[in-house]
Amino acid sequence: MKFRKDEIIFLFGAGISADAGIPTSEMMIDEVEDLICTNEEWHQFKDLYFLIKSGVKFSYGIQGKEPIFNIEVLVNTLNELEKKEMHPLYPFIGSWNIKFNEVVANNFNLIKEFKKKIINKLKQWMQPEDLQKSEYLKKIKDLKSETIFPIRIFTLNYDLLIEKNLQGLIEIERGFDEDRKWNYKRFFEFEEESDIYLYKLHGSIDWQRDENTQIVKYIDTVPDEPDLIFGVQYKMQYIDPYLFMISEFRHYCLKAKLIVCLGYSFSDEHINSILSQSLLINDTTKIFCLAYKEKEEKIHKILRADRVRIVNKKKAKDFFENDLKLEIFEEFIGQDEENII
């Protein structure tokens, strides 16, 4: 079996960082709820949190969908509630939810403070103390050594584990120029290609956006307000880097013969749509999934195709250390071409 350039691409989700001590989105929401119930500093947000949680689940219920409530959904909802009169639906909703008015009582600082508290906690989660726990990610270098072409990795994670583990081992292109400013041209304008092209679809904890120019730069520390987006929110982000990156993700999904999803929970409707579209348009495209806890029925229902291999009950650390090899993917895709990566 043989791959040509860009016939295999990778999508990384939170599951690949979990073994390094970074909680998944579901684990984060569980910790937030525990803090709200047990920590005095968080207790003021209790009524607001449970109002949002019950409202989100009710919304999914009346649509006949399985409820999804994680840290992204929570922060997205807080973003929308914070707008109030500025929200385009406000004139049509009138007095909003009566219970919401009781909880907030025109104190919209409560929403802002709750969101700020979550973002600060998120920054802690994204910086695990023991980097050695993530050394299994160095296996990406071994994977790259099997190919003469660059590897394209699209990640939904904010953390810097890939960058830190591969620093000095192989060249990674994240899309920033010598002045540390975002420059999309770095992904395709150089004759000598990078080893890895890393697309951080939801942002990164070392990104900072200039309020005046709206240009994103990366810095050596974690800024007070990292430039991050949460889940489906980025569908509304018509600015770079997000517009460019999601466009690139769609482009390479439609081009690939194999999309390797590692640690992705299939809870992002926009990403799911692009994945299922790639299977629908190209009848030779396949998807390989490392999904530790996700049910196979759920994934097949989302992707609406049977050209999917699902590996579950295996954690990321185990998979990276033992199975992150082209031969594993070659066996699945079963191509007959003569050119090997």
Side-chain angles (χ1 to χ4, degrees):
M1 128 91 261
K2 340 308 181 182
F3 285 113
R4 296 190 179 96
K5 182 181 178 182
D6 293 329
E7 286 187 341
I8 178 171
I9 64 171
F10 293 81
L11 173 66
F12 287 180
I16 73 151
S17 299
D19 289 337
I22 295 180
T24 63
S25 183
E26 291 73 18
M27 294 164 65
M28 290 178 190
I29 202 71
D30 289 342
E31 185 168 343
V32 165
E33 186 164 321
D34 182 66
L35 286 168
I36 285 171
C37 294
T38 62
N39 189 302
E40 187 174 342
E41 292 183 6
W42 288 74
H43 190 73
Q44 61 178 316
F45 309 117
K46 182 177 181 179
D47 290 344
L48 177 59
Y49 170 80
F50 283 106
L51 176 65
I52 292 173
K53 181 179 181 179
S54 61
V56 168
K57 291 192 172 184
F58 175 76
S59 176
Y60 275 99
I62 61 177
Q63 297 177 65
K65 296 181 179 180
E66 182 179 347
I68 298 175
F69 187 67
N70 53 36
I71 204 73
E72 287 93 350
V73 172
L74 175 58
V75 176
N76 277 339
T77 305
L78 290 170
N79 283 332
E80 295 303 310
L81 291 175
E82 192 177 0
K83 297 175 184 177
K84 199 183 178 186
E85 288 90 347
M86 297 174 61
H87 198 289
L89 293 180
Y90 178 75
F92 305 98
I93 295 177
S95 62
W96 294 77
N97 181 291
I98 294 176
K99 183 63 176 176
F100 172 74
N101 288 332
E102 291 178 4
V103 170
V104 176
N106 291 320
N107 179 20
F108 276 76
N109 280 331
L110 184 68
I111 296 173
K112 294 179 180 179
E113 288 301 315
F114 190 20
K115 187 174 72 172
K116 182 178 179 181
K117 201 82 170 174
I118 294 170
I119 298 299
N120 286 336
K121 189 64 180 176
L122 183 72
K123 291 191 293 184
Q124 295 178 22
W125 284 323
M126 292 300 112
Q127 301 178 81
E129 294 182 0
D130 187 359
L131 191 61
Q132 289 185 340
K133 290 183 178 180
S134 63
E135 286 189 344
Y136 55 89
L137 293 173
K138 294 182 187 294
K139 289 293 183 178
I140 296 173
K141 174 184 175 292
D142 296 340
L143 180 70
K144 174 62 188 80
S145 69
E146 299 182 49
T147 168
I148 62 172
F149 298 123
I151 293 177
R152 298 187 188 274
I153 298 175
F154 298 85
T155 178
L156 303 171
N157 301 336
Y158 311 123
D159 63 67
L160 300 172
L161 294 185
I162 294 175
E163 295 95 314
K164 288 184 176 181
N165 276 284
L166 298 181
Q167 185 177 12
L169 300 179
I170 55 177
E171 185 178 348
I172 301 177
E173 180 57 69
R174 300 202 307 164
F176 293 87
D177 60 24
E178 293 78 7
D179 295 327
R180 300 190 169 204
K181 293 181 180 179
W182 164 253
N183 182 356
Y184 73 95
K185 295 180 181 179
R186 295 189 62 88
F187 284 95
F188 54 79
E189 276 204 346
F190 297 97
E191 289 187 13
E192 186 174 342
E193 295 182 302
S194 291
D195 296 314
I196 302 289
Y197 287 104
L198 183 62
Y199 302 80
K200 306 195 80 168
L201 297 173
H202 286 179
S204 182
I205 59 166
D206 64 339
W207 288 7
Q208 186 175 49
R209 187 177 297 275
D210 187 290
E211 292 184 3
N212 296 319
T213 66
Q214 289 299 299
I215 294 175
V216 171
K217 298 179 68 174
Y218 78 90
I219 62 176
D220 291 330
T221 58
V222 176
D224 291 337
E225 296 184 14
D227 203 66
L228 309 174
I229 53 176
F230 295 86
V232 295
Q233 177 193 3
Y234 73 86
K235 287 192 294 186
M236 305 303 293
Q237 289 284 340
Y238 300 116
I239 54 175
D240 277 344
Y242 308 109
L243 179 61
F244 171 81
M245 289 192 176
I246 198 62
S247 176
E248 288 286 277
F249 180 60
R250 180 180 182 276
H251 169 76
Y252 285 106
C253 278
L254 294 176
K255 188 176 181 180
K257 289 194 174 181
L258 180 62
I259 304 168
V260 181
C261 302
L262 303 179
Y264 174 52
S265 65
F266 291 87
S267 59
D268 187 312
E269 293 181 1
H270 197 195
I271 294 293
N272 293 345
S273 176
I274 293 173
L275 292 174
S276 61
Q277 185 184 43
S278 67
L279 292 174
L280 180 65
I281 292 176
N282 300 319
D283 58 10
T284 59
T285 299
K286 295 183 179 182
I287 293 181
F288 181 101
C289 305
L290 174 67
Y292 177 57
K293 292 183 178 180
E294 304 306 320
K295 296 180 180 178
E296 292 189 25
E297 298 82 5
K298 169 191 171 182
I299 297 174
H300 282 295
K301 183 178 180 180
I302 290 171
L303 296 178
R304 296 176 292 176
D306 57 4
R307 301 189 309 279
V308 180
R309 174 177 290 181
I310 300 170
V311 176
N312 50 27
K313 298 181 180 179
K314 178 171 285 196
K315 292 187 176 182
K317 184 176 186 293
D318 185 6
F319 184 86
F320 272 75
E321 290 180 342
N322 301 295
D323 302 309
L324 190 67
K325 303 171 184 177
L326 280 183
E327 63 184 71
I328 299 291
F329 307 126
E330 290 171 350
E331 177 189 355
F332 172 48
I333 200 71
Q335 290 179 323
D336 298 321
E337 287 89 339
E338 296 180 357
N339 297 325
I340 299 180
I341 286 193

